[in-house]
Amino acid sequence: MSRARVAVLISGRGSNMTALVEAARAPDCPFEVVLVLSNKPDAEGLQLASDAGVPTLAIDHRPFGADREAHERALDAALRDAGAEYVALAGYMRVLTPFLVEAWAGRMINIHPSLLPKYPGLDTHRRAIDAGDAEAGCSVHLVTTGVDEGPILDQARVPVLAGDTPEALAARVLEAEHRLYPMALARLVVR
């Protein structure tokens, strides 16, 4: 079985990246992770990926200053050099320019810790609790030029419990993310 070649972009600890790498170990998984790429050379997830035998690369955004597109052109070159066919954002904490979004249109996905279209951006768990929502969750969506606005591919719901703190809710949502993201990516690459 030919497997889709996926690159994962991270900025931090890489827990969703790890879930994708672990899912790719299954013989029937339709994708393989061919590169983990970070904008932060000290991202914890780079070591996790390396320990799992996945090639890693850091392209620090800071030397590029305000020229976000120049940084993304370097990312794009690295993605293409790795033979990536799809890109999964997994805690990649930079808003992308139209250059990279359009270069990977329909082949770049993101996981977001809310039931989009509710609560795009940051501080999603506090916002859900403050609104009195009965449930929260996570969404996998195609990346478009609008932040967290792309077509939703799949969602997982998590109840908001009485007395929940943003941290407690975040931990439960993260568990759902780790289950949802590999499934959504697998469906995307076989469609």
Side-chain angles (χ1 to χ4, degrees), residues 19-95:
L20 295 175
V21 168
E22 289 175 1
R25 289 186 178 137
D28 61 343
C29 183
F31 64 83
E32 62 180 318
V33 178
V34 297
L35 178 66
V36 172
L37 179 56
S38 180
N39 64 305
K40 293 186 174 184
D42 60 348
E44 293 174 53
L46 290 172
Q47 187 62 53
L48 293 173
S50 181
D51 291 348
V54 177
T56 62
L57 181 63
I59 301 176
D60 194 338
H61 65 276
R62 292 172 294 192
F64 294 88
D67 193 346
R68 298 174 79 82
E69 185 174 316
H71 178 249
E72 290 179 6
R73 286 189 182 279
L75 294 178
D76 184 61
L79 295 170
R80 293 180 191 285
D81 286 349
E85 299 168 296
Y86 293 86
V87 177
L89 306 182
Y92 189 70
M93 299 305 291
R94 288 182 57 86
V95 175

Side-chain angles (χ1 to χ4, degrees), residues 3-11 16-17 20 30-39 57 71-94 96-97 99-112 139-144 151 153 181-182 184-186 188-189 191:
R3 302 193 319 155
R5 297 174 60 84
V6 175
V8 183
L9 271 58
I10 65 169
S11 292
N16 273 306
M17 173 275 301
L20 295 175
F31 64 83
E32 62 180 318
V33 178
V34 297
L35 178 66
V36 172
L37 179 56
S38 180
N39 64 305
L57 181 63
H71 178 249
E72 290 179 6
R73 286 189 182 279
L75 294 178
D76 184 61
L79 295 170
R80 293 180 191 285
D81 286 349
E85 299 168 296
Y86 293 86
V87 177
L89 306 182
Y92 189 70
M93 299 305 291
R94 288 182 57 86
L96 300 176
T97 70
F99 164 74
L100 197 64
V101 171
E102 290 164 10
W104 292 90
R107 299 178 297 138
M108 181 183 287
I109 64 173
N110 184 42
I111 188 153
H112 181 74
S139 305
V140 176
H141 65 91
L142 289 173
V143 176
T144 59
L153 301 177
Y181 209 9
L185 178 57
L188 175 67
V189 303
R191 67 176 181 165

Side-chain angles (χ1 to χ4, degrees), residues 151-174:
I152 295 167
L153 301 177
D154 208 347
Q155 294 183 314
R157 297 176 182 280
V158 173
V160 177
L161 305 177
D164 249 343
T165 63
E167 296 77 19
L169 180 56
R172 289 198 315 282
V173 169
L174 188 61

